[in-house]
Amino acid sequence: MNSQWTEQEFQNPPARFRGAPFWAWNNRLEKEKLKKQIGYFKEMGMGGFHIHCRTGLDTEYLGKEFLECVAECAEEGRKQGLYTYLYDEDRWPSGAAGGKVTKEEAYRSRFFAFVPDGEAEVCPEGKLLGSYRITLKDGYLESYRFAEKGEQGDGIWRLYLQTAKPSPWFNNQTYLDTLNKKAVERFLEVTHETYYTLLGEEFGKTIPSIFTDEPQFQRKETLAFAEEKKTLILPGTDSFEAFYRERYGESFLEHFPEVVWELPDGQVSAARYQYHDGIAELFATSFADTIGSWCREHHLMLTGHMMEEPTLLSQTSALGEAMRSYRGFQQPGIDMLCDWREYTTAKQAQSAAHQYGCPGVLSELYGVTNWDFDFRGHKLQGDWQAALGVTRRVHHLAWASMEGEAKRDYPAPIFYQSAWYQAYKMVEDHFARVNTALMRGKPRVRIGVIHPVESYWLHFGPREQTAQIREILEKNFRDVTEWLLFGNLDFDFLAESLLPGQNVHEEDGKLCVGDMRYDVILVPGCETLRSTTIAYLSAYAGHGGNVLFAGQLPEYVDARPNPEGKRLAERCTVIPFGQAAILEALEAYRELEIRKADGGRADQFLFQMREDGENRWLFLANVRKPENPDLPRQEPYQIRIRGSWEAELCDTQDGTVRKLAVNRRNGWTIFWHILDIHDSLLLRLTPAALDAVREQEPVSLQRPAPSIRKTIPQPDRYVLEEPNVLLLDQCEYRLDEEPWQETEEILRIDNQLRERFGYPKRMEAMPQPWVENEEGDTAHTIELRFRIFSEITCEGAELVLENAEDAEIFFRDVPVKAAPCGWFVDESLKRIRLGTVYPGENILRIRRPFGRKTNLEWHYLCGNFGVRVAGRSAYLTSLPEKLNFGDFTVQGLPFYAGNLCYETAFPVEREGTYQLQASKFRAPLLQVSVDGGAWKPIAYAPYQAELGVLKPGVHQLKLRVFGSRVNAFGAVHNCDETLEWFGPDAWRTQDEAYSYEYQIKPAGILKTPVLLEKAGQDFGNMAE
């Protein structure tokens, strides 16, 4: 970006700096509804949307109606100033085009099946590539040879090339042969060329990129025990033998057993190494290079993320190596689910983005975190990724519909179904302001680290023999990443496979790799290096460049015994593989140091520094999840930045910019700053005069305590912004005219009936509805009978259900007209006027057709009532006259799904500047309003809202608590409190992980807020 950074743009960042969620097209598409939803993205502060097909799509993928919807949404996005981002698949992983490509067998996924004698029937249609006589001694490969024709018995193994079988997940087709360039070209023709014909004039304008999702090859397996007899699956394709011969000058088939078993006497197999390298190269060449080249020619960025990037094992198994494919991307990406911290994943993508000059990194984030993931989580997860190069946030997910299984598609929806969606702009504004800085200039990174994945391949054999060394290599990989990151020594990984194409050379004492220039190269305990890598490092060291070898020295070159690696190390610096030794050896390349008040180094921050002409940007992010987020913990930190700088704090929360007080001495710019557990820091650095040396001024290392701190009164009243709800999730049922069955939970009923009739369970892989053009078997009738117990008379109750048009409804034996009077939470959840609920038992019966495409779902009763839960039962009661601070789920609102507002009055005795602090709550965020003024958010520590100057007297306070909907739509029968993966299975736990009793999560303001009078100066920043 060449334009000048301005405070005005920082205050109101345009769409290019903003996130673009996955917009889950998961139902029958309706153009007007889709265009209406684009307005929600605008309202939420988004910069655009990724059109993303998900389970439930009932409009033919890439068909005429589908493409009309794409075109109209792209036009509507353009009108609203939003970008349309394309996605290249129906569901995922990318490649099959919803099965349209893999209808042709030539393009279907292939794999090698290595089968012990006697199990050949498992590959009846496979192509026999070779039979082998295997001789093991003590579990090691003593010898092997091709078997004679007809040779059988123990020790005979056969290698087949197998074609994948059709799967419902791929719409009754298969995945793509991603090792076959012609198959990938056919995928391009079906998908990308179709979009180009439709929208090509906007490519590179309002349509910046196309997202590819989790491309991979058949996952590699290893034997658990060397002597076991089991079929082993490995990736392969028809052309692999010819490819291998051309690349390595020998036959893959002749040496194949070395891929499977360990050689004796600690020998390393070059054939095994070459197999892993060859598969990785064929995959990167066929898929990412092919698609990336097309995208480049058509002015479209290839973006998205690969499969299983984080560990040496995962990327070896699914990709060969992650970084190799990034050479084809114009913006590499990552996938970060469950609020996990995968620093290796992010750093690999960031490194490639740096070296190839990409505009940052994309991240698919926030998915699988459940309905109650709050704004604190959104900020922390986004902050640490921004520090590691993420500039395009792809929120997972924004559902077009909650109909059927869609409501369990890895919630919460970051969209209009969440009660907080209109407040989300505060999150998006923060990250957009960060991007105004981090999408400028060039990264300043001085340290390069050789990626160790190729040494890992040497040990990809039976787990009984290789598990320990593989675990050590994994730990070393993870450790060196985190030692450097949390030691605030930024670095890039160097992928050996990419170096030959990155114009590696020495210049002015630096090693130039692509767009980057490194001052020092660290080789972290690699057993093998490529001959090309040794040549680059030797030349660099020969020109005085600094190369550090940590730990084990390389014994192999290209996986063959060769002393050149050790000879190179002897000419360089060799240090132990340990945190202290590595950090000390790299201390001279430090750009940033952060110390706590006790003098120790802080270990919870990541940073990114960028050079923007003569200026620099520094973004500093808190990374660790707080052990107790309810306790704000403001701590002072001494921040030291190499160089002589003036510093401005760019406040990403309110868009203001202010100068910081700093000292400059001994080549460093130094200041103190107080940070809380969710804080991040964006600094603009401009060159300053020579060091300003002066005597140290006395500083306060904590913010001044408030002069008044007192709790506010309990609420006088409260207002529910939505009707209260009773969850109707358990009922008696009968099929057709069979006898009534005992009370059961509805999703369990659905599973039981599907199992009975041989229908696929909805939690399993199913073809998309658009593939199953028939309406489905609805020859059966299901009737549900709910017993609603009430202690009150409640008029005007409403029933919420899906597919109301198919339902016959009887309440207290009176037919109810299924005419919707509105919707609840999502437009697919229709509200039906039910009438009056009377004290005692009220019978509700719902009858509807049942077949393969039926969605049996929970129902809801809405109205002006309270609810009391007792175990697995619930009763209607009167709404409480008042709500006290504390968990409101035990005060008559156990299933309440919306926002509520507390109202109270509080006295002020003297004029002053006041704040309200609400430090313990269970809600996505709070908002505060005083005397009818503007709403101000409380989302992050220290959980304070500025009330401004208040005069003596009584003031009216409103506190809005935003609902998470977790107790209405969450997995309320899951009693595994350690569960992290909130996908469809979380709602259908079994045995000890399932509870019929409701597992309600606390909600509301759990601790009475306090009124604070601000005292004196804010010592947030102090010169030392």
Side-chain angles (χ1 to χ4, degrees):
M1 298 180 62
N2 298 318
S3 61
Q4 184 71 29
W5 182 88
T6 66
E7 292 188 28
Q8 181 179 5
E9 187 174 72
F10 178 69
Q11 177 69 47
N12 296 294
R16 69 179 181 273
F17 297 118
R18 296 180 176 274
F22 270 161
W23 186 14
W25 285 15
N26 57 6
N27 61 346
R28 183 74 186 177
L29 302 180
E30 299 179 42
K31 295 173 187 174
E32 293 309 311
K33 283 187 177 179
L34 292 173
K35 289 195 288 186
K36 175 184 175 182
Q37 290 183 5
I38 290 173
Y40 297 139
F41 290 121
K42 182 80 170 180
E43 190 175 4
M44 295 175 71
M46 302 298 183
F49 45 84
H50 285 77
I51 295 175
H52 176 30
C53 299
R54 301 287 292 191
T55 297
L57 180 66
D58 204 6
T59 300
E60 182 186 357
Y61 177 63
L62 296 180
K64 181 176 181 294
E65 185 179 354
F66 178 91
L67 293 174
E68 288 174 353
C69 289
V70 171
E72 292 209 20
C73 287
E75 176 60 18
E76 181 66 21
R78 185 191 67 79
K79 290 178 181 177
Q80 297 204 34
L82 302 180
Y83 292 100
T84 298
Y85 299 86
L86 300 177
Y87 182 91
D88 66 6
E89 189 53 82
D90 176 13
R91 298 190 287 198
W92 64 93
S94 293
K100 290 176 179 282
V101 171
T102 51
K103 286 181 179 180
E104 299 180 60
E105 186 170 343
Y107 304 139
R108 292 183 171 185
S109 175
R110 268 74 163 153
F111 58 88
F112 295 132
F114 196 43
V115 185
D117 193 54
E119 290 193 14
E121 63 272 11
V122 302
C123 296
E125 301 173 8
K127 177 184 177 182
L128 181 64
L129 300 178
S131 297
Y132 300 85
R133 165 66 69 181
I134 304 298
T135 302
L136 300 179
K137 182 177 181 181
D138 297 328
Y140 291 87
L141 187 61
E142 184 176 54
S143 65
Y144 60 90
R145 61 172 173 80
F146 283 120
E148 302 294 334
K149 186 175 181 179
E151 193 173 351
Q152 297 181 346
D154 189 46
I156 298 296
W157 289 69
R158 294 180 173 83
L159 181 64
Y160 296 86
L161 181 68
Q162 186 78 18
T163 301
K165 300 298 182 186
S167 162
W169 184 255
F170 298 107
N171 294 325
N172 298 323
Q173 302 302 326
T174 78
Y175 188 46
L176 186 77
D177 184 359
T178 55
L179 303 175
N180 178 352
K181 184 176 181 179
K182 290 184 178 179
V184 177
E185 289 172 339
R186 177 58 180 157
F187 171 55
L188 277 170
E189 181 182 353
V190 170
T191 306
H192 299 63
E193 291 287 355
T194 297
Y195 280 130
Y196 183 69
T197 300
L198 182 73
L199 302 166
E201 290 184 359
E202 290 300 312
F203 280 16
K205 301 173 185 175
T206 62
I207 301 177
S209 65
I210 188 166
F211 190 112
T212 196
D213 202 357
E214 298 185 352
Q216 59 193 274
F217 46 59
Q218 175 67 47
R219 186 176 297 275
K220 297 171 185 172
E221 296 179 350
T222 61
L223 295 173
F225 298 91
E227 303 279 0
E228 70 179 330
K229 300 292 195 297
K230 61 165 285 186
T231 296
L232 195 66
I233 303 298
L234 292 163
T237 190
D238 304 78
S239 64
F240 188 69
E241 169 70 2
F243 170 84
Y244 190 96
R245 282 182 178 273
E246 181 178 355
R247 185 171 176 84
Y248 304 109
E250 58 189 41
S251 169
F252 164 67
L253 295 177
E254 287 182 7
H255 300 283
F256 173 75
E258 294 185 26
V259 174
V260 178
W261 286 285
E262 293 292 286
L263 297 177
D265 303 321
Q267 299 176 69
V268 163
S269 170
R272 175 185 290 176
Y273 169 88
Q274 289 168 179
Y275 167 69
H276 290 289
D277 174 59
I279 284 289
E281 183 61 26
L282 190 57
F283 173 59
T285 300
S286 300
F287 194 89
D289 288 356
T290 300
I291 297 177
S293 177
W294 186 96
C295 289
R296 191 174 296 108
E297 292 170 2
H298 291 80
H299 311 292
L300 194 68
M301 289 196 299
L302 172 61
T303 189
H305 70 92
M306 309 302 293
M307 182 66 173
E308 297 281 5
E309 311 103 318
T311 68
L312 301 178
L313 170 62
S314 65
Q315 59 184 283
T316 294
S317 300
L319 308 169
E321 63 170 320
M323 287 186 67
R324 193 178 313 206
S325 286
Y326 294 150
R327 71 192 185 200
F329 285 70
Q330 284 76 49
Q331 186 176 43
I334 61 177
D335 180 16
M336 204 60 56
L337 305 178
C338 297
D339 197 24
W340 289 333
R341 302 296 197 265
E342 294 176 6
Y343 307 116
T344 52
T345 298
K347 181 47 78 172
Q348 289 169 157
Q350 184 190 32
S351 301
H354 286 170
Q355 293 154 13
Y356 288 102
C358 301
V361 173
L362 172 147
S363 179
E364 175 188 333
L365 73 175
Y366 302 141
V368 204
T369 51
N370 206 1
W371 284 92
D372 56 341
F373 192 63
D374 58 26
F375 279 28
R376 292 176 282 197
H378 280 252
K379 183 177 187 298
L380 276 181
Q381 188 178 155
D383 273 352
W384 76 259
Q385 292 185 43
L388 292 187
V390 169
T391 55
R392 175 71 63 234
R393 290 160 58 253
V394 182
H395 314 65
H396 186 295
L397 289 161
W399 298 331
S401 172
M402 284 176 62
E403 184 176 346
E405 194 67 14
K407 67 178 64 64
R408 290 175 289 278
D409 189 3
Y410 308 107
I414 305 174
F415 210 31
Y416 82 96
Q417 299 94 343
S418 288
W420 42 260
Y421 84 94
Q422 292 173 310
Y424 195 74
K425 190 174 184 294
M426 68 172 287
V427 176
E428 209 53 41
D429 283 348
H430 160 70
F431 287 108
R433 289 170 181 143
V434 170
N435 278 343
T436 66
L438 300 191
M439 290 174 66
R440 301 185 58 80
K442 293 184 177 180
R444 181 169 177 82
V445 181
R446 303 177 66 188
I447 302 168
V449 178
I450 301 296
H451 198 293
V453 68
E454 298 195 5
S455 294
Y456 185 84
W457 297 342
L458 305 182
H459 304 286
F460 202 73
R463 287 190 294 279
E464 68 167 323
Q465 296 157 332
T466 64
Q468 184 173 5
I469 181 60
R470 285 203 259 161
E471 288 170 5
I472 291 171
L473 293 173
E474 290 282 18
K475 184 177 185 301
N476 290 348
F477 177 49
R478 184 175 61 250
D479 281 350
V480 77
T481 301
E482 296 188 17
W483 290 342
L484 294 178
L485 287 179
F486 290 103
N488 295 137
L489 290 167
D490 200 5
F491 72 97
D492 282 339
F493 279 121
L494 310 183
E496 292 189 76
S497 62
L498 298 179
L499 291 176
Q502 292 180 313
N503 188 26
V504 178
H505 63 281
E506 184 272 338
E507 185 177 304
D508 298 330
K510 301 178 185 293
L511 186 68
C512 301
V513 180
D515 282 10
M516 296 301 293
R517 295 156 59 90
Y518 302 107
D519 293 291
V520 60
I521 305 299
L522 175 67
V523 184
C526 298
E527 290 182 66
T528 186
L529 292 175
R530 292 187 178 223
S531 54
T532 50
T533 302
I534 288 179
Y536 296 136
L537 296 182
S538 294
Y540 179 53
H543 285 88
N546 193 0
V547 180
L548 302 176
F549 285 79
Q552 179 175 354
L553 302 182
E555 299 181 15
Y556 307 95
V557 176
D558 299 323
R560 300 179 187 276
N562 189 318
E564 286 304 310
K566 287 187 174 180
R567 289 174 183 166
L568 171 61
E570 290 169 358
R571 296 165 45 209
C572 302
T573 303
V574 178
I575 59 176
F577 191 93
Q579 181 176 10
I582 289 175
L583 295 186
E584 182 179 356
L586 295 172
E587 185 63 27
Y589 308 99
R590 177 176 298 283
E591 294 289 305
L592 175 73
E593 182 176 70
I594 308 170
R595 291 193 178 269
K596 299 179 289 187
D598 64 5
R601 280 207 173 109
D603 64 354
Q604 75 271 32
F605 296 102
L606 297 181
F607 80 97
Q608 182 181 172
M609 183 174 287
R610 300 188 69 83
E611 297 175 330
D612 185 11
E614 64 177 5
N615 301 328
R616 289 193 190 166
W617 291 97
L618 173 65
F619 180 67
L620 184 67
N622 245 313
V623 178
R624 312 286 193 190
K625 297 179 187 179
E627 292 183 8
N628 186 345
D630 299 324
L631 298 180
R633 190 177 66 252
Q634 298 177 335
E635 295 188 14
Y637 296 94
Q638 186 194 67
I639 299 174
R640 297 163 52 89
I641 304 167
R642 185 181 294 276
S644 186
W645 305 101
E646 299 284 358
E648 291 176 304
L649 173 63
C650 301
D651 192 321
T652 57
Q653 294 303 310
D654 62 17
T656 61
V657 179
R658 64 182 175 89
K659 189 174 182 178
L660 294 183
V662 300
N663 265 348
R664 294 180 292 274
R665 65 168 183 266
N666 301 327
W668 292 85
T669 299
I670 307 167
F671 63 93
W672 285 87
H673 203 84
I674 295 176
L675 294 169
D676 216 314
I677 54 179
H678 304 126
D679 285 344
S680 53
L681 203 61
L682 179 64
L683 301 181
R684 185 169 185 252
L685 307 174
T686 56
L690 297 176
D691 290 358
V693 181
R694 56 195 174 106
E695 293 185 6
Q696 180 175 342
E697 297 177 355
V699 298
S700 170
L701 297 186
Q702 59 183 353
R703 296 183 189 273
S707 56
I708 290 180
R709 178 185 179 90
K710 67 179 190 177
T711 58
I712 65 171
Q714 291 295 310
D716 299 320
R717 62 188 297 267
Y718 68 95
V719 176
L720 302 184
E721 297 185 3
E722 294 178 5
N724 196 16
V725 295
L726 170 68
L727 175 59
L728 301 175
D729 64 322
Q730 302 177 65
C731 62
E732 301 162 288
Y733 69 101
R734 67 175 175 180
L735 189 75
D736 301 326
E737 296 302 318
E738 296 176 357
W740 284 97
Q741 303 298 307
E742 293 183 357
T743 297
E744 183 56 275
E745 190 263 321
I746 290 175
L747 297 182
R748 291 192 157 209
I749 295 172
D750 185 67
N751 275 356
Q752 292 168 10
L753 294 179
R754 288 179 173 278
E755 187 171 336
R756 174 177 171 180
F757 294 115
Y759 301 156
K761 295 178 181 178
R762 291 186 296 151
M763 59 195 286
E764 297 171 349
M766 296 177 64
Q768 290 282 47
W770 67 264
V771 175
E772 299 181 318
N773 292 321
E774 75 282 358
E775 289 302 312
D777 175 17
T778 55
H780 301 284
T781 299
I782 184 73
E783 191 168 359
L784 308 179
R785 184 164 68 190
F786 298 90
R787 299 180 183 273
I788 300 172
F789 296 95
S790 180
E791 299 171 1
I792 62 168
T793 298
C794 178
E795 297 180 352
E798 295 178 344
L799 174 67
V800 174
L801 76 168
E802 299 176 35
N803 305 116
E805 65 278 4
D806 296 332
E808 298 178 72
I809 304 169
F810 303 87
F811 186 56
R812 300 178 63 87
D813 291 328
V814 176
V816 175
K817 186 177 181 180
C821 59
W823 50 270
F824 175 69
V825 178
D826 181 271
E827 290 197 46
S828 69
L829 299 172
K830 303 300 185 184
R831 291 165 36 216
I832 305 295
R833 292 188 177 92
L834 202 58
T836 301
V837 179
Y838 291 95
E841 182 181 82
N842 298 261
I843 301 296
L844 169 67
R845 288 188 296 115
I846 301 172
R847 183 189 298 137
R848 63 169 72 243
F850 181 82
R852 323 171 41 94
K853 297 178 77 171
T854 301
N855 291 321
L856 275 190
E857 292 291 333
W858 296 349
H859 301 63
Y860 300 85
L861 189 71
C862 290
N864 188 33
F865 51 72
V867 177
R868 175 171 58 85
V869 166
R872 65 181 295 181
S873 301
Y875 305 84
L876 297 190
T877 66
S878 297
L879 274 171
E881 291 185 9
K882 290 186 177 182
L883 282 182
N884 289 323
F885 293 122
D887 182 2
F888 65 62
T889 70
V890 298
Q891 300 180 66
L893 305 173
F895 305 118
Y896 182 63
N899 304 333
L900 68 82
C901 186
Y902 299 103
E903 298 181 8
T904 191
F906 66 94
V908 168
E909 296 177 357
R910 68 185 186 198
E911 182 173 338
T913 301
Y914 289 88
Q915 298 169 316
L916 187 83
Q917 183 176 57
S919 61
K920 186 171 186 179
F921 56 88
R922 293 296 176 266
L925 79 156
L926 310 177
Q927 284 182 344
V928 179
S929 172
V930 174
D931 297 333
W935 290 101
K936 298 183 179 180
I938 294 179
Y940 319 126
Y943 309 120
Q944 295 171 0
E946 299 290 338
L947 305 184
V949 176
L950 299 180
K951 295 183 179 299
V954 176
H955 296 267
Q956 301 299 316
L957 174 71
K958 291 183 179 180
L959 269 167
R960 176 182 283 158
V961 179
F962 284 79
S964 73
R965 307 203 191 283
V966 69
N967 291 323
F969 293 95
V972 295
H973 296 291
N974 164 55
C975 58
D976 178 2
E977 296 184 1
T978 67
L979 186 69
E980 291 184 303
W981 188 266
F982 283 92
D985 289 352
W987 277 256
R988 298 180 175 94
T989 50
Q990 299 290 328
D991 302 323
E992 296 308 310
Y994 187 86
S995 167
Y996 284 105
E997 291 74 25
Y998 293 111
Q999 305 297 301
I1000 301 296
K1001 294 195 173 189
I1005 298 176
L1006 305 187
K1007 174 186 173 184
T1008 302
V1010 296
L1011 187 67
L1012 309 176
E1013 182 180 6
K1014 295 179 69 173
Q1017 180 184 354
D1018 182 355
F1019 289 96
N1021 160 245
M1022 303 146 287
E1024 185 185 54

